[in-house]
PDB file of all heavy atoms in Angstrom:
ATOM      1  N   SER I  83       5.649  -4.839 -10.857  1.00  0.00           N
ATOM      2  CA  SER I  83       7.008  -4.783 -11.199  1.00  0.00           C
ATOM      3  C   SER I  83       7.546  -3.380 -10.767  1.00  0.00           C
ATOM      4  O   SER I  83       6.774  -2.490 -10.588  1.00  0.00           O
ATOM      5  CB  SER I  83       7.188  -4.977 -12.774  1.00  0.00           C
ATOM      6  OG  SER I  83       6.503  -3.879 -13.452  1.00  0.00           O
ATOM      7  N   TYR I  84       8.779  -3.150 -11.004  1.00  0.00           N
ATOM      8  CA  TYR I  84       9.406  -1.886 -10.745  1.00  0.00           C
ATOM      9  C   TYR I  84       8.947  -0.866 -11.668  1.00  0.00           C
ATOM     10  O   TYR I  84       8.708   0.242 -11.353  1.00  0.00           O
ATOM     11  CB  TYR I  84      10.992  -2.072 -10.727  1.00  0.00           C
ATOM     12  CG  TYR I  84      11.719  -0.796 -10.383  1.00  0.00           C
ATOM     13  CD1 TYR I  84      11.797  -0.373  -9.093  1.00  0.00           C
ATOM     14  CD2 TYR I  84      12.322  -0.014 -11.420  1.00  0.00           C
ATOM     15  CE1 TYR I  84      12.559   0.794  -8.688  1.00  0.00           C
ATOM     16  CE2 TYR I  84      13.017   1.139 -10.960  1.00  0.00           C
ATOM     17  CZ  TYR I  84      13.100   1.454  -9.696  1.00  0.00           C
ATOM     18  OH  TYR I  84      13.830   2.614  -9.231  1.00  0.00           O
ATOM     19  N   SER I  85       8.827  -1.227 -13.060  1.00  0.00           N
ATOM     20  CA  SER I  85       8.335  -0.270 -13.967  1.00  0.00           C
ATOM     21  C   SER I  85       6.882   0.116 -13.734  1.00  0.00           C
ATOM     22  O   SER I  85       6.547   1.265 -13.875  1.00  0.00           O
ATOM     23  CB  SER I  85       8.467  -0.766 -15.436  1.00  0.00           C
ATOM     24  OG  SER I  85       7.608  -1.963 -15.626  1.00  0.00           O
ATOM     25  N   ALA I  86       6.100  -0.777 -13.254  1.00  0.00           N
ATOM     26  CA  ALA I  86       4.709  -0.440 -12.719  1.00  0.00           C
ATOM     27  C   ALA I  86       4.784   0.434 -11.617  1.00  0.00           C
ATOM     28  O   ALA I  86       3.947   1.377 -11.491  1.00  0.00           O
ATOM     29  CB  ALA I  86       3.908  -1.836 -12.381  1.00  0.00           C
ATOM     30  N   LEU I  87       5.655   0.285 -10.616  1.00  0.00           N
ATOM     31  CA  LEU I  87       5.857   1.287  -9.539  1.00  0.00           C
ATOM     32  C   LEU I  87       6.261   2.649 -10.071  1.00  0.00           C
ATOM     33  O   LEU I  87       5.740   3.636  -9.493  1.00  0.00           O
ATOM     34  CB  LEU I  87       6.873   0.640  -8.531  1.00  0.00           C
ATOM     35  CG  LEU I  87       6.961   1.440  -7.177  1.00  0.00           C
ATOM     36  CD1 LEU I  87       5.639   1.429  -6.454  1.00  0.00           C
ATOM     37  CD2 LEU I  87       8.137   0.758  -6.314  1.00  0.00           C
ATOM     38  N   GLN I  88       7.065   2.745 -11.009  1.00  0.00           N
ATOM     39  CA  GLN I  88       7.546   3.969 -11.582  1.00  0.00           C
ATOM     40  C   GLN I  88       6.278   4.641 -12.128  1.00  0.00           C
ATOM     41  O   GLN I  88       6.037   5.835 -12.129  1.00  0.00           O
ATOM     42  CB  GLN I  88       8.594   3.813 -12.548  1.00  0.00           C
ATOM     43  CG  GLN I  88       9.975   3.272 -12.017  1.00  0.00           C
ATOM     44  CD  GLN I  88      11.004   3.134 -13.053  1.00  0.00           C
ATOM     45  OE1 GLN I  88      10.774   2.394 -14.095  1.00  0.00           O
ATOM     46  NE2 GLN I  88      12.117   3.793 -12.873  1.00  0.00           N
ATOM     47  N   ALA I  89       5.482   3.765 -12.939  1.00  0.00           N
ATOM     48  CA  ALA I  89       4.268   4.448 -13.636  1.00  0.00           C
ATOM     49  C   ALA I  89       3.246   4.985 -12.556  1.00  0.00           C
ATOM     50  O   ALA I  89       2.676   6.034 -12.641  1.00  0.00           O
ATOM     51  CB  ALA I  89       3.636   3.507 -14.601  1.00  0.00           C
ATOM     52  N   ALA I  90       3.100   4.121 -11.482  1.00  0.00           N
ATOM     53  CA  ALA I  90       2.177   4.617 -10.374  1.00  0.00           C
ATOM     54  C   ALA I  90       2.634   5.855  -9.724  1.00  0.00           C
ATOM     55  O   ALA I  90       1.952   6.710  -9.433  1.00  0.00           O
ATOM     56  CB  ALA I  90       2.007   3.350  -9.423  1.00  0.00           C
ATOM     57  N   HIS I  91       3.964   5.992  -9.519  1.00  0.00           N
ATOM     58  CA  HIS I  91       4.504   7.200  -8.965  1.00  0.00           C
ATOM     59  C   HIS I  91       4.340   8.319  -9.749  1.00  0.00           C
ATOM     60  O   HIS I  91       3.956   9.354  -9.385  1.00  0.00           O
ATOM     61  CB  HIS I  91       6.107   6.909  -8.763  1.00  0.00           C
ATOM     62  CG  HIS I  91       6.813   8.176  -8.266  1.00  0.00           C
ATOM     63  ND1 HIS I  91       7.589   8.891  -9.262  1.00  0.00           N
ATOM     64  CD2 HIS I  91       6.906   8.788  -7.102  1.00  0.00           C
ATOM     65  CE1 HIS I  91       8.000   9.995  -8.526  1.00  0.00           C
ATOM     66  NE2 HIS I  91       7.622   9.916  -7.252  1.00  0.00           N
ATOM     67  N   GLU I  92       4.398   8.189 -11.120  1.00  0.00           N
ATOM     68  CA  GLU I  92       4.194   9.227 -12.140  1.00  0.00           C
ATOM     69  C   GLU I  92       2.726   9.745 -11.939  1.00  0.00           C
ATOM     70  O   GLU I  92       2.477  10.900 -11.993  1.00  0.00           O
ATOM     71  CB  GLU I  92       4.495   8.832 -13.518  1.00  0.00           C
ATOM     72  CG  GLU I  92       6.009   8.798 -13.863  1.00  0.00           C
ATOM     73  CD  GLU I  92       6.182   8.441 -15.332  1.00  0.00           C
ATOM     74  OE1 GLU I  92       5.267   8.558 -16.134  1.00  0.00           O
ATOM     75  OE2 GLU I  92       7.313   7.834 -15.575  1.00  0.00           O
ATOM     76  N   ARG I  93       1.840   8.823 -11.946  1.00  0.00           N
ATOM     77  CA  ARG I  93       0.509   9.175 -11.762  1.00  0.00           C
ATOM     78  C   ARG I  93       0.120   9.927 -10.385  1.00  0.00           C
ATOM     79  O   ARG I  93      -0.553  10.843 -10.470  1.00  0.00           O
ATOM     80  CB  ARG I  93      -0.530   7.944 -11.804  1.00  0.00           C
ATOM     81  CG  ARG I  93      -0.724   7.331 -13.086  1.00  0.00           C
ATOM     82  CD  ARG I  93      -1.864   6.360 -13.147  1.00  0.00           C
ATOM     83  NE  ARG I  93      -1.804   5.215 -12.007  1.00  0.00           N
ATOM     84  CZ  ARG I  93      -1.170   4.160 -12.089  1.00  0.00           C
ATOM     85  NH1 ARG I  93      -0.354   3.886 -13.055  1.00  0.00           N
ATOM     86  NH2 ARG I  93      -1.227   3.493 -11.082  1.00  0.00           N
ATOM     87  N   LEU I  94       0.741   9.483  -9.317  1.00  0.00           N
ATOM     88  CA  LEU I  94       0.679  10.216  -8.150  1.00  0.00           C
ATOM     89  C   LEU I  94       1.100  11.638  -8.173  1.00  0.00           C
ATOM     90  O   LEU I  94       0.498  12.542  -7.726  1.00  0.00           O
ATOM     91  CB  LEU I  94       1.228   9.511  -6.956  1.00  0.00           C
ATOM     92  CG  LEU I  94       0.774   8.189  -6.423  1.00  0.00           C
ATOM     93  CD1 LEU I  94       1.722   7.368  -5.666  1.00  0.00           C
ATOM     94  CD2 LEU I  94      -0.484   8.407  -5.663  1.00  0.00           C
ATOM     95  N   VAL I  95       2.306  11.792  -8.784  1.00  0.00           N
ATOM     96  CA  VAL I  95       2.861  13.205  -8.908  1.00  0.00           C
ATOM     97  C   VAL I  95       1.993  13.925  -9.818  1.00  0.00           C
ATOM     98  O   VAL I  95       1.620  15.099  -9.553  1.00  0.00           O
ATOM     99  CB  VAL I  95       4.340  13.141  -9.518  1.00  0.00           C
ATOM    100  CG1 VAL I  95       4.813  14.424  -9.884  1.00  0.00           C
ATOM    101  CG2 VAL I  95       5.197  12.321  -8.404  1.00  0.00           C
ATOM    102  N   GLU I  96       1.659  13.485 -10.956  1.00  0.00           N
ATOM    103  CA  GLU I  96       0.732  14.254 -11.846  1.00  0.00           C
ATOM    104  C   GLU I  96      -0.588  14.547 -11.289  1.00  0.00           C
ATOM    105  O   GLU I  96      -1.192  15.788 -11.542  1.00  0.00           O
ATOM    106  CB  GLU I  96       0.425  13.420 -13.195  1.00  0.00           C
ATOM    107  CG  GLU I  96       1.677  13.329 -14.077  1.00  0.00           C
ATOM    108  CD  GLU I  96       1.468  12.228 -15.157  1.00  0.00           C
ATOM    109  OE1 GLU I  96       0.194  11.714 -15.391  1.00  0.00           O
ATOM    110  OE2 GLU I  96       2.399  11.949 -15.990  1.00  0.00           O
ATOM    111  N   ALA I  97      -1.065  13.824 -10.344  1.00  0.00           N
ATOM    112  CA  ALA I  97      -2.324  14.158  -9.666  1.00  0.00           C
ATOM    113  C   ALA I  97      -2.132  15.104  -8.439  1.00  0.00           C
ATOM    114  O   ALA I  97      -3.122  15.562  -7.788  1.00  0.00           O
ATOM    115  CB  ALA I  97      -2.917  12.956  -9.087  1.00  0.00           C
ATOM    116  N   GLY I  98      -0.864  15.423  -8.215  1.00  0.00           N
ATOM    117  CA  GLY I  98      -0.582  16.390  -7.046  1.00  0.00           C
ATOM    118  C   GLY I  98      -0.676  15.753  -5.703  1.00  0.00           C
ATOM    119  O   GLY I  98      -0.783  16.407  -4.667  1.00  0.00           O
ATOM    120  N   ALA I  99      -0.607  14.432  -5.662  1.00  0.00           N
ATOM    121  CA  ALA I  99      -0.554  13.689  -4.279  1.00  0.00           C
ATOM    122  C   ALA I  99       0.673  13.967  -3.641  1.00  0.00           C
ATOM    123  O   ALA I  99       1.771  14.126  -4.215  1.00  0.00           O
ATOM    124  CB  ALA I  99      -0.760  12.169  -4.596  1.00  0.00           C
ATOM    125  N   THR I 100       0.652  13.976  -2.317  1.00  0.00           N
ATOM    126  CA  THR I 100       1.895  14.105  -1.442  1.00  0.00           C
ATOM    127  C   THR I 100       2.606  12.869  -1.377  1.00  0.00           C
ATOM    128  O   THR I 100       2.104  11.760  -0.930  1.00  0.00           O
ATOM    129  CB  THR I 100       1.498  14.584  -0.015  1.00  0.00           C
ATOM    130  OG1 THR I 100       0.797  15.954  -0.127  1.00  0.00           O
ATOM    131  CG2 THR I 100       2.682  14.858   0.845  1.00  0.00           C
TER     132      THR I 100
END
Side-chain angles (χ1 to χ4, degrees):
S83 65
Y84 185 77
S85 61
L87 186 62
Q88 289 176 310
H91 172 260
E92 283 181 28
R93 285 194 313 275
L94 289 164
V95 169
E96 287 170 8
T100 298

